[in-house]
Amino acid sequence: MSDQSTEFTRLPETDDERDDPERATREEVLDFWAERFGVPSETFEGYTFWERGAGKLWLYRGHPPSPVDIEGLGMTFLRTRQEHWKPTLEAVQRFGEHASRNVIHLDEDAAQAFVAGEDQELDWDGDWGYLVVTHDLAGEAEPVGVGLYVYGELRSQVPKGRRREL
C-alpha cells in the first residue's frame, strides 16, 4: 500500500473525469493560467500535471503511469485547494515570460527589495492578487517571482530560503 504523501497522481483532464470535487483538473489549471496571466494553454503542451498531497500540484514533461510513488516529479507548480490559487516561484520563473496579464515590472531598487523578501508600497492599476513580478536582466524583462498585491502593497512571496540581498 502506498503512502499518499509520496504518491503522485495525474490530474483528471476535465470535470467529467474527476472523482473528488475539490481536486483541480488539467482544464481548470490551463484556464487559471490563461485567465489570470494570459499564458496560452498551448504553452503547456507535452506537460502533465500531478497532485501530491492536498492541492500541491507538480508539472512534468512527459507521461509516466499514474499513480507514481516517488519523492519528486518534475517541478512544483501551483497550490490549489485554497481560496486563491498560488503559482510557485519555479512556475513563474519558467513560464512567466509568456504572461501578458497581471505582470508588474520593477526597477532596480524595487527588484532588490522584492528578492530580499521585503514588502513594499507600489502603485498598480491592475487586479489585486498574485502577480508575475519581472525585472530587466541582460536587457530583457525576466520573471523573478510571485508577488501578492493587496491594499497598495506588493508582498514578496519569495520563499525564505531563496531570498537574496543583492
Side-chain angles (χ1 to χ4, degrees), residues 34-158:
E35 291 167 15
R36 179 73 194 162
F37 301 112
V39 176
S41 296
E42 304 78 54
T43 305
F44 302 106
E45 283 182 13
Y47 291 94
T48 50
F49 298 102
W50 299 77
E51 186 173 35
R52 177 178 163 189
K56 296 176 183 157
L57 302 190
W58 293 60
L59 175 85
Y60 180 77
R61 186 169 196 89
H63 301 274
S66 177
V68 177
D69 189 15
I70 55 177
E71 289 298 315
L73 180 68
M75 66 181 227
T76 58
F77 186 71
L78 186 66
R79 301 285 182 256
T80 63
R81 298 200 191 206
Q82 55 194 29
E83 183 178 357
H84 302 288
W85 289 10
K86 179 183 182 278
T88 64
L89 173 76
E90 295 80 10
V92 164
Q93 287 181 338
R94 171 65 181 87
F95 297 101
E97 68 183 354
H98 302 285
S100 59
R101 276 196 297 277
N102 293 310
V103 177
I104 189 168
H105 189 77
L106 301 181
D107 65 22
E108 187 76 23
D109 291 339
Q112 286 179 353
F114 179 82
V115 297
E118 297 173 23
D119 299 338
Q120 46 197 317
E121 290 185 20
L122 293 173
D123 290 328
W124 166 250
D125 296 351
D127 291 345
W128 283 18
Y130 292 111
L131 306 177
V132 172
V133 178
T134 65
H135 174 64
D136 287 337
L137 296 170
E140 300 275 330
E142 294 290 339
V144 294
V146 180
L148 176 61
Y149 191 83
V150 290
Y151 302 107
E153 182 178 65
L154 180 64
R155 298 178 183 167
S156 176
Q157 302 295 295
V158 176

